[in-house]
Amino acid sequence: MLSISYQVVCSSSYFLSGYLPHKDASIPQIWPRKGPSPTNAPSRRKKLAFFVGAMNSRVRENFVKTWNNDSEIMVHRGSMKTPYSEAFEINTARIGDALYYGCVPVILADHYDLPYADILNWESFSVIVSSLDIPKLKQILEAIEYHHYVKLQNNVMKVKKHFQWNSFSKDFDIFHMVMYELWIRGSHLRHIY
């Protein structure tokens, strides 16, 4: 009998030792929160993008260097003392936070397995940009027509339940999605070996 093991990881970079792309499963980094999430309507959003984070990769360093002084792409190095929802428009670069606040995630990640990649069509609720296109980010975001942006944001509102931790698991929450992802991966790999 062949035994196959799977990892469930928060960071699914292809360059992490021990992580096997497309075999191991990626789980979104989510902080448990209580109550309904705040959400601004698409028409009330004034910024193209918002980033906050540590300078722990070349992609982030390049992003901050390129967009640090832009008025439409808000960049903040390190952590913030003020909550996102109070300091800025309700936007963030972190996928889990973006979804919590009802924002369309802009994902700059090459060589990375997105959570639930076998289940969700990420292009239906996010904008995925190659890190090589960081200098063209504003042009890429401005080219998204308003009706398409509204469609992306409506899909965010539909999928955000898949990115929530609950004290007791609820249908289609993060626990169910991870279990389903593992089942799909297991079914697929059993046929390969």
Side-chain angles (χ1 to χ4, degrees):
M1 178 175 185
L2 179 64
S3 176
I4 300 173
S5 63
Y6 305 93
Q7 285 189 94
V8 177
V9 297
C10 283
S11 183
S12 58
S13 168
Y14 293 0
F15 304 110
L16 292 176
S17 68
Y19 179 75
L20 298 175
H22 312 299
K23 175 193 162 285
D24 295 332
S26 173
I27 186 173
Q29 296 181 26
I30 305 294
W31 291 271
R33 295 180 167 107
K34 295 183 181 184
S37 62
T39 303
N40 274 344
S43 61
R44 295 188 61 207
R45 298 177 188 262
K46 305 291 185 236
K47 300 288 181 192
L48 278 175
F50 170 70
F51 168 82
V52 63
M55 297 297 97
N56 57 9
S57 73
R58 277 188 258 142
V59 171
R60 288 180 175 205
E61 289 170 3
N62 185 19
F63 181 83
V64 169
K65 181 180 175 187
T66 304
W67 297 109
N68 194 36
N69 295 314
D70 192 86
S71 62
E72 295 178 296
I73 297 177
M74 197 163 238
V75 175
H76 187 83
R77 294 173 185 247
S79 60
M80 295 177 56
K81 303 207 182 337
T82 309
Y84 300 133
S85 58
E86 292 176 19
F88 302 103
E89 307 215 1
I90 302 175
N91 265 329
T92 178
R94 296 180 179 127
I95 293 172
D97 288 340
L99 295 170
Y100 174 76
Y101 287 111
C103 299
V104 175
V106 176
I107 301 169
L108 295 166
D110 303 323
H111 312 293
Y112 176 82
D113 285 336
L114 291 169
Y116 319 138
D118 295 332
I119 304 168
L120 299 177
N121 175 7
W122 279 82
E123 291 179 359
S124 72
F125 65 94
S126 67
V127 177
I128 302 170
V129 180
S130 167
S131 61
L132 294 174
D133 289 331
I134 287 173
K136 296 189 278 183
L137 182 62
K138 184 185 265 190
Q139 179 183 356
I140 291 167
L141 296 177
E142 287 176 335
I144 298 171
E145 294 181 14
Y146 183 74
H147 74 276
H148 182 66
Y149 171 73
V150 170
K151 184 177 179 182
L152 291 171
Q153 202 273 336
N154 285 337
N155 288 336
V156 162
M157 301 310 287
K158 292 176 185 174
V159 302
K160 68 190 288 185
K161 66 183 172 189
H162 304 311
F163 294 83
Q164 293 177 336
W165 280 113
N166 295 296
S167 297
F168 297 97
S169 185
K170 295 180 182 177
D171 289 346
F172 309 109
D173 71 359
I174 201 168
F175 176 79
H176 284 250
M177 294 296 284
V178 170
M179 293 299 107
Y180 186 51
E181 180 87 4
L182 288 172
W183 179 79
I184 290 172
R185 298 267 167 131
S187 298
H188 175 71
L189 289 177
R190 263 195 301 274
H191 296 297
I192 292 174
Y193 293 103

